[in-house]
Amino acid sequence: MASPSLKSTAGRTLVLDVANSSGLEDWAPELQKTKVYERILLDLILGELPAGARLDEQSLAARYETGLAGVRDALGRLALEGLVVRRARSGTLVAPLDLVELRQGYEARVLIEPHCAALAAKNASKAEAQAMYEVFADGEDAARTCDLPALVAMDLRFHAHVARASGNLALARILIPLQHKAARFWVFSFNGATEQELMDEIEEHRQVARVIAGGDAEASRQAMLRILNVQPEAQTRPHVGAA
């Protein structure tokens, strides 16, 4: 089954493959509405469609060279994820960047995503683990050239792979939209990152893929915590004054 593709500013093909996270056939990767969803999603994350902007369906159809039906379906899904807001009189707007929502989403990811990584270590097939690792096949080139669209696409694909490989569809449906929201904030930190910092981050993601492939659930959980900038020992350290 072919994956949907996007074009970066450098003209290279970007693959997201995140829209089928629902596990539902009506969002299969080859469908036009799925491709439109992923193109709008990437533009939302990159700020090409900025927070608060009004989204006109006909303008979007022209922008992405697609029909209105696909745009409406895509916006409906993005509304369910909280990335756009639909209002009776104002139409559809890009959701604001809410720091409280970011913090709450991060807290949820810290609870869910390391557990998904541990489950993936138990449930992922060899092909799924290899796919996680190969997401960053062009990572070094993207880091050297500061190709933000490519780096974002790789990151989204990686986390979607881990969520699906957990074998728990309920958790995947919760986790992947949280990742999409977090990515909107992540792009702001990109400008201050050095090439080496980007390389290190890519290697941390690859390490998660390696330990998942090795079947070590606890090592996978800890590796994912490090990606989320949480020290694993902080999860088990007793609170001061605890009984």
Side-chain angles (χ1 to χ4, degrees):
M1 187 177 291
S3 297
S5 62
L6 305 169
K7 295 293 183 180
S8 74
T9 54
R12 292 190 298 137
T13 298
L14 302 179
V15 179
L16 288 187
D17 190 24
V18 296
N20 61 346
S21 59
S22 63
L24 301 176
E25 292 183 1
D26 58 351
W27 283 97
E30 72 274 8
L31 295 178
Q32 187 63 26
K33 69 176 183 180
T34 303
K35 297 175 183 179
V36 175
Y37 161 83
E38 296 201 335
R39 294 183 69 184
I40 297 176
L41 171 64
L42 187 61
D43 280 349
L44 288 170
I45 290 170
L46 293 172
E48 296 293 329
L49 299 172
R54 184 176 181 276
L55 301 178
D56 177 73
E57 292 179 356
Q58 293 200 6
S59 296
L60 291 176
R63 178 188 180 108
Y64 301 113
E65 299 180 341
T66 189
L68 284 173
V71 169
R72 287 171 184 150
D73 286 340
L75 291 177
R77 178 164 181 168
L78 291 164
L80 290 175
E81 292 189 17
L83 291 169
V84 303
V85 180
R86 284 180 153 176
R87 294 174 179 163
R89 296 182 181 178
S90 304
T92 303
L93 306 174
V94 177
L97 292 167
D98 189 317
L99 292 177
V100 173
E101 186 177 17
L102 171 67
R103 176 179 56 80
Q104 293 174 347
Y106 174 76
E107 291 171 352
R109 284 185 68 199
V110 168
L111 292 173
I112 298 170
E113 194 157 19
H115 182 60
C116 281
L119 289 175
K122 298 177 181 179
N123 299 324
S125 66
K126 289 183 179 180
E128 287 175 322
Q130 185 66 22
M132 290 176 208
Y133 188 86
E134 291 179 350
V135 161
F136 294 98
D138 297 323
E140 284 80 6
D141 288 342
R144 290 189 193 100
T145 59
C146 296
D147 189 343
L148 180 55
L151 290 168
V152 169
M154 291 175 197
D155 188 66
L156 293 180
R157 286 175 60 207
F158 175 83
H159 289 280
H161 277 311
V162 173
R164 290 199 294 267
S166 73
N168 189 317
L169 187 57
L171 290 178
R173 287 172 177 166
I174 296 170
L175 179 57
I176 293 176
L178 290 174
Q179 165 65 10
H180 294 169
K181 287 185 177 182
R184 294 181 70 199
F185 290 85
W186 178 81
V187 296
F188 287 106
S189 65
F190 175 83
N191 289 332
T194 66
E195 179 182 324
Q196 187 57 52
E197 287 171 337
L198 293 173
M199 296 286 195
D200 291 343
E201 187 165 333
I202 288 168
E203 181 56 28
E204 283 188 347
H205 284 69
R206 285 176 175 156
Q207 180 60 17
V208 173
R210 290 191 194 100
V211 293
I212 286 175
D216 189 329
E218 180 57 23
S220 299
R221 186 185 75 84
Q222 293 188 13
M224 184 59 76
L225 282 170
R226 283 189 284 273
I227 285 181
L228 296 173
N229 294 317
V230 176
Q231 293 301 316
E233 59 270 19
Q235 297 280 300
T236 57
R237 185 182 300 140
H239 294 292
V240 176

